């Protein structure tokens, strides 16, 4: 990281992101396409790529936008865990980045009688879902 270009972490709006400038040029990789304006449609199919719970790269698809009324973020039924925070969330059909995974459900719960924690299982419409900061609110991103 060479510098922080833009950042927000506000509890009242739930805006949550950091945009950094790298300390060197990226070679051999094309930049990702990101939504430039407007907002994702309700029910849009999603995919997320990340490193949940310290695991190797995991690609999780089969999700969709569940709640889309907030200005700064939308909710989805993404299959993510701690460690996925900061992961890009893509429109599964276009490949365009729609947002950044920022928060969600408690990942693990105690298993009664087993004295251990197990992954919490939510239905596709149950629990609160995972929240994704809209890429369109990231200040200065469109100027790069």
């Amino acid at each position: 990281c060479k510098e922080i270009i833009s950042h927000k972490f506000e509890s009242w709006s739930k805006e949550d992101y950091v945009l950094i400038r790298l300390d060197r040029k990226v070679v051999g990789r094309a930049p990702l396409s990101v939504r430039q304006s407007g907002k994702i449609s309700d029910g849009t199919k999603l995919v997320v790529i990340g490193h949940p719970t310290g695991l190797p790269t995991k690609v999780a698809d089969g999700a969709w936008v569940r709640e889309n009324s907030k200005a700064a973020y939308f909710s989805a039924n993404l299959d993510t865990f701690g460690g996925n925070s900061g992961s890009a969330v893509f429109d599964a059909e276009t490949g365009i980045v729609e947002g950044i995974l920022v928060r969600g459900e408690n990942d693990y719960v105690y298993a009664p009688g087993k004295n251990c924690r197990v992954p919490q299982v939510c239905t596709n419409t149950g629990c609160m879902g995972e929240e994704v900061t809209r890429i369109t609110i990231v200040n200065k991103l469109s100027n790069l």
Side-chain angles (χ1 to χ4, degrees):
C1 170
K2 181 176 182 179
E3 68 177 311
I4 294 173
I5 297 170
S6 177
H7 65 91
K8 275 215 176 155
F9 183 69
E10 295 180 349
S11 60
W12 64 273
S13 69
K14 293 199 173 184
E15 291 185 48
D16 184 358
Y17 67 85
V18 175
L19 180 62
I20 62 170
R21 184 178 319 279
L22 300 177
D23 63 358
R24 61 193 168 280
K25 295 271 185 199
V26 174
V27 294
R29 300 283 186 261
L32 296 171
S33 296
V34 300
R35 174 178 288 279
Q36 297 294 314
S37 62
K39 74 178 191 177
I40 193 168
S41 298
D42 294 345
T44 298
K45 293 179 182 175
L46 302 169
V47 62
V48 62
I49 302 171
H51 303 272
T53 316
L55 296 171
T57 303
K58 176 184 175 186
V59 177
D61 61 357
W64 62 84
V65 176
R66 285 179 37 176
E67 202 287 315
N68 198 18
S69 65
K70 308 293 187 210
Y73 68 95
F74 60 89
S75 297
N77 63 332
L78 294 160
D79 184 13
T80 58
F81 286 87
N84 271 115
S85 294
S87 295
V89 176
F90 301 85
D91 179 311
E93 292 181 19
T94 66
I96 292 173
V97 175
E98 293 287 354
I100 306 161
L101 182 75
V102 292
R103 65 191 152 266
E105 291 293 336
N106 289 327
D107 296 330
Y108 297 97
V109 294
Y110 279 98
K114 295 185 180 180
N115 200 26
C116 65
R117 293 175 18 157
V118 296
Q120 176 172 225
V121 177
C122 296
T123 64
N124 283 325
T125 57
C127 302
M128 70 178 248
E130 308 297 298
E131 294 180 349
V132 180
T133 293
R134 296 180 192 280
I135 201 69
T136 54
I137 71 160
V138 177
N139 292 331
K140 301 183 182 179
L141 180 61
S142 60
N143 297 337
L144 300 177

